[in-house]
Amino acid sequence: MIAMNGRLGFRRAVLVSACSLAVLSALPAAAPVRAQEAASAVQDVALQDVVLTIGGTRFTAPRMTASGTRLSKDDLIAIFRADGKEPWATRLARLDAGSLAIPELRVEQTTGGMRQAVVYRDVVARGVHGGRIAELTSAGAAVTVAGTVEGKAANGDGSYGKIRAEDVDLAAMARLSSEPGDGKGPFQRLYAAFSLETMAFTDEHGTRVSLARLSGRDFSGRQVPATWTGALDAFKALDFDGEDAAARAKAAGNAADLIEAVSIGSLEATGLRVQDTQGDKPVDLAIGRFAYAATGTDAGLSLDDISFSGTGTRSTIAKLSLSGTSLAPTIATLRRLAKPTEASTEADMRRLTPVIGTVTLSGLSLDVPADGARAGRERPAGATKPALPTPSTDPLATPASGTLHVGLRDATMTFGPPKDGVPTASRLSLSGLTMPSSAVAGLPGLGSLGLYGYRDLDLNVVADSAWNEGAKELALREVSVSGKDMGTLHINATLGGIGPEIFDPDAASSGLAMLSATAKTVDLKLENGGLYERFIEAQSKSLSLKPDELRKEYVTACLIGIPVILGNSPAAKTIGAAMGKFAAKPGTLSISARAKSDGGLGVADFSTAGSPGAVLDKLEVNAKAE
C-alpha cells in the first residue's frame, strides 16, 4: 500500500521544485555577494556565493554569471538586496541581461518536521528584460526529502530531467507573492509555457512515482488579500474540525481566494506511473496520458490508457474524462465558513462538493479473483497434492484462471447542480456491460440466468432522474435494462411531495421527508428479445412438460389468476388480459398507472389499503400487449 507520508513528502518536494525556478530571480539576497568585474556599457558580471532567503526557503548558488548586461555591480546588488526599500516588482522591472547562468542551484525548505532539498544543474535564464525571462532552462535536478509527518518518517529521493519555461514574468510573481490585493483584479500571466522531462521519486517504503513528461501553458494568477505566500501558509493549516474558529475561518477564506486566483490554460503529463513493490500487497498504477484544458473542444480533464494491478486484481481503461465541472458550490461554502460566527458541520463537508458535470469512460476491462476459483484451488482434507483445476474453454470463470472478468464498452454519468452537496439531476448510461452469468448467481431476478442458457451477459443500463423544485417532483425519466438475446425493461415514474428537505444532510430529516413522498405515475414496458423462450424451455424441462403445454398454463394463470389476486376490478382484468396475450405470444407488454388524486398515492394509502384491489381503485390503469 502507498504510504501517506511518502506522498505528502513527494507533493511538497514537487511544489518546492516547481516554484524555485519560477522565482529564482525574484527573491531577496542575503549576504554575501561579491562582484568580480567592474561595470561597463555591456559586460559580464560573475557573482559568487549567492544566498537568497525568503520565509522558510533558502536558495544557494556558488556562482552566478550575468552576461550581456548594462547593469553595474551596484545595480545588481540593489536589485537583490534583502533590505531593499522598493517593492520587489519595481526592482525586478530593472533587471536586464542577455542571460543569467547558474551552474548549480540548491533550494532548501523546512516545513514542520519535513526538510526538502532540490539541487538544479546548469540553470540558464535567457533574454532577461523588464523583469521577464524569455526562456528559463535547467539540465536537471536531484531531490531529497527527509523528516517526519504526523510522527511518521517520510524520506525519499528522486530526480528531474530537463526543465524549460517560456516568457516567465518575475515581476508578476513578486506582486502575487508579496503584495496584497482585493482578489478581484485582473489575472497576470506568470509564464507562457513550461515542460519537465523524466521525473522519478522513490520513498523509504519503496513506492516509486515517475513520469515521462509534464508540460503546461498559460499559468496566470491575481493578487489576494493575504498575498499568495500568506494564503498558502494558511491553506496548509485548513482544519474544519479545529476548535480555533478564527483560524478555521481565515484558512477557509484564503482557500477560496486561492481557488479563484489561479488560472491554468492547459496541462499534460505522459507516462505517469506509481509502483509499490515492497509491501505485502504490491500495486502498479499507470496512466499513459493525463491532460487538462480550460477552454476549447478539449475543455476538461482526460486520462488515457489507464492500467492497475494489485491484490490479484487487474484492470485497464482506454479513456476516462471529466467535463462541465464547477467549483462554485465549493467556493460559496468556503466563503460562508470564512465567517468566524459560522460553525462548521458535517453537512458543510457535503456542500463543499463541486458540480461534477459529465464523466465518460470507455474500454474498461476488469479481472478480479473469483471466490469459486479460490475455493477450487484449496487442498481437500487428506490430500497430499493440490487439487488440479478443471479444464474449460472459458478462462474467465474457471479455477484454472482464478479470475472473474467484467468488461464495459462505454459509460456516461452526468450530474446536475447540487443541492446541499447532492446532485438534483443525474443520468447514468452503461453500454456493453459484460460478465459471466456466474457473477450474478444468487441475485434476485438474475441468479437464474445461467439456468436459461446464458453463459455470458451483455447488458445496457440507463438511469435518468431529475428533481423539479417548483413542482416538488422527482421524475424517473428513464430506468431501463436491456440484454443481448434477452429483451428490454423500461420504467418511467413521477414521485410527488419531494421538497428541499429530501436533500437535508441530516439522515433523520431526509428520511422523514421521504415518508411524505407520493407515487403519481408509473409506466412499465417490457420488450421480449429471447429471454421468455429460454425461460419456458428451462421450466418445461424442470416440470417435465412440453413448452406449448407450459405456455398455455401461464396464459390461463394470467387471464384468471392475476385478476383474482388484484381484486377482480376492471383494472385487474385489463392487466391480466394484457399479460395473458404477452404469455401466448411474447412481444411488447405495456402497463401504465396514474393516481386519480393530483397529490398521488402516499405511504398511508398503501399501508391502509386492505387489498391490492383497493389500491387499484385509486389508479387509472392501462395495459396492452403487442
Side-chain angles (χ1 to χ4, degrees):
M1 181 173 286
I2 301 173
M4 178 61 73
N5 55 357
R7 290 200 300 268
L8 288 171
F10 169 68
R11 180 181 62 190
R12 289 170 177 158
V14 170
L15 288 173
V16 172
S17 305
C19 295
S20 59
L21 280 179
V23 301
L24 169 63
S25 300
L27 301 178
V33 176
R34 186 167 67 253
Q36 302 299 308
E37 298 185 23
S40 61
V42 176
Q43 61 183 332
D44 295 347
V45 178
L47 308 176
Q48 290 184 341
D49 301 325
V50 179
V51 180
L52 310 176
T53 303
I54 183 169
T57 304
R58 179 184 175 90
F59 295 75
T60 305
R63 182 180 178 84
M64 175 190 293
T65 301
S67 300
T69 180
R70 295 181 182 276
L71 298 174
S72 67
K73 171 190 66 176
D74 292 338
D75 292 334
L76 289 172
I77 291 176
I79 290 174
F80 294 111
R81 188 180 299 278
D83 57 353
K85 303 302 182 183
E86 294 179 296
W88 273 107
T90 302
R91 284 186 274 163
L92 289 171
R94 296 199 299 267
L95 188 61
D96 189 277
S99 66
L100 296 174
I102 306 175
E104 180 180 292
L105 172 66
R106 183 178 182 86
V107 183
E108 297 174 284
Q109 183 184 57
T110 301
T111 304
M114 289 296 301
R115 178 173 56 83
Q116 303 96 29
V118 185
V119 179
Y120 294 92
R121 306 185 314 276
D122 301 329
V123 178
V124 179
R126 299 178 179 85
V128 184
H129 303 292
R132 303 174 74 97
I133 298 174
E135 181 185 50
L136 181 64
T137 62
S138 171
V143 56
T144 59
V145 178
T148 59
V149 175
E150 298 179 353
K152 298 181 180 179
N155 304 318
D157 59 79
S159 62
Y160 302 145
K162 294 180 180 180
I163 303 170
R164 182 177 184 273
E166 299 176 9
D167 194 11
V168 181
D169 192 333
L170 301 178
M173 291 178 183
R175 282 190 291 270
L176 294 180
S177 63
S178 60
E179 298 179 16
D182 60 6
K184 300 177 181 179
F187 279 96
Q188 305 169 53
R189 192 171 73 171
L190 305 183
Y191 61 75
F194 84 92
S195 63
L196 166 67
E197 308 287 344
T198 60
M199 183 213 69
F201 183 87
T202 304
D203 69 12
E204 62 178 6
H205 303 285
T207 301
R208 175 181 171 83
V209 180
S210 61
L211 60 80
R213 190 175 190 274
L214 174 66
S215 63
R217 298 194 64 85
D218 297 327
F219 184 85
S220 303
R222 59 185 173 192
Q223 294 162 261
V224 297
T227 75
W228 274 36
T229 300
L232 284 169
D233 289 341
F235 186 72
K236 294 175 183 177
L238 184 60
D239 181 9
F240 290 111
D241 298 323
E243 297 181 359
D244 190 338
R248 186 213 68 220
K250 180 180 179 181
N254 283 316
D257 288 340
L258 281 175
I259 293 174
E260 292 188 305
V262 175
S263 175
I264 301 175
S266 65
L267 280 174
E268 182 181 65
T270 57
L272 175 63
R273 192 169 188 182
V274 180
Q275 297 171 286
D276 182 1
T277 59
Q278 294 187 0
D280 57 348
K281 297 180 179 180
V283 172
D284 190 346
L285 170 67
I287 300 175
R289 178 178 177 268
F290 166 98
Y292 166 80
T295 59
T297 56
D298 296 326
L301 181 70
S302 65
L303 294 86
D304 299 291
D305 300 326
I306 307 169
S307 64
F308 171 84
S309 63
T311 62
T313 298
R314 297 180 61 86
S315 65
T316 59
I317 298 175
K319 188 177 184 64
L320 176 65
S321 63
L322 177 63
S323 62
T325 59
S326 171
L327 293 174
T330 306
I331 295 171
T333 302
L334 288 172
R335 293 293 183 203
R336 190 181 66 79
L337 294 175
K339 302 175 182 178
T341 56
E342 293 288 339
S344 64
T345 65
E346 185 176 342
D348 291 320
M349 301 303 101
R350 260 179 47 174
R351 296 187 180 108
L352 285 169
T353 305
V355 175
I356 299 174
T358 300
V359 181
T360 59
L361 178 151
S362 62
L364 169 67
S365 176
L366 174 65
D367 293 279
V368 298
D371 293 337
R374 284 195 294 267
R377 293 195 299 271
E378 294 177 357
R379 184 178 300 185
T384 57
K385 295 182 179 180
L388 296 176
T390 303
S392 172
T393 58
D394 179 11
L396 303 180
T398 64
S401 66
T403 60
L404 179 70
H405 178 78
V406 177
L408 181 61
R409 184 170 59 250
D410 295 292
T412 302
M413 293 163 280
T414 302
F415 302 93
K419 175 71 173 178
D420 287 333
V422 179
T424 56
S426 64
R427 180 178 175 83
L428 168 68
S429 176
L430 306 179
S431 176
L433 176 61
T434 60
M435 66 189 78
S437 59
S438 59
V440 297
L443 295 180
L446 299 176
S448 300
L449 289 176
L451 300 176
Y452 303 153
Y454 294 102
R455 183 179 181 82
D456 299 296
L457 308 181
D458 189 337
L459 308 174
N460 298 325
V461 179
V462 174
D464 189 341
S465 65
W467 176 59
N468 185 324
E469 183 174 8
K472 292 187 177 181
E473 292 181 347
L474 176 64
L476 303 179
R477 295 179 293 199
E478 180 182 3
V479 177
S480 66
V481 179
S482 64
K484 183 180 180 181
D485 299 325
M486 294 183 185
T488 303
L489 172 65
H490 299 269
I491 298 176
N492 301 329
T494 302
L495 303 180
I498 307 294
E501 302 82 10
I502 202 73
F503 300 98
D504 195 302
D506 181 68
S509 299
S510 59
L512 182 62
M514 195 64 193
L515 294 176
S516 302
T518 61
K520 288 189 169 183
T521 67
V522 177
D523 296 295
L524 181 148
K525 184 177 181 180
L526 179 62
E527 301 174 1
N528 177 51
L531 175 60
Y532 182 78
E533 288 79 6
R534 295 197 183 202
F535 168 78
I536 291 294
E537 183 69 23
Q539 290 296 309
S540 63
K541 291 180 179 179
S542 176
L543 299 173
S544 299
L545 293 173
K546 293 181 179 180
D548 287 343
E549 294 174 341
L550 182 60
R551 185 178 289 107
K552 291 179 181 179
E553 290 193 10
Y554 279 127
V555 171
T556 301
C558 290
L559 294 175
I560 300 176
I562 288 180
V564 172
I565 294 173
L566 297 181
N568 260 328
S569 65
K573 293 178 181 179
T574 299
I575 294 173
M579 293 183 66
K581 185 177 179 180
F582 179 85
K585 188 177 181 181
T588 300
L589 173 66
S590 300
I591 300 176
S592 64
R594 303 283 187 278
K596 294 178 180 179
S597 169
D598 292 339
L601 299 184
V603 174
D605 294 300
F606 288 96
S607 61
T608 59
S611 65
V615 175
L616 284 180
D617 289 339
K618 299 179 180 182
L619 299 172
E620 295 179 2
V621 179
N622 290 294
K624 64 178 181 179
E626 298 176 341

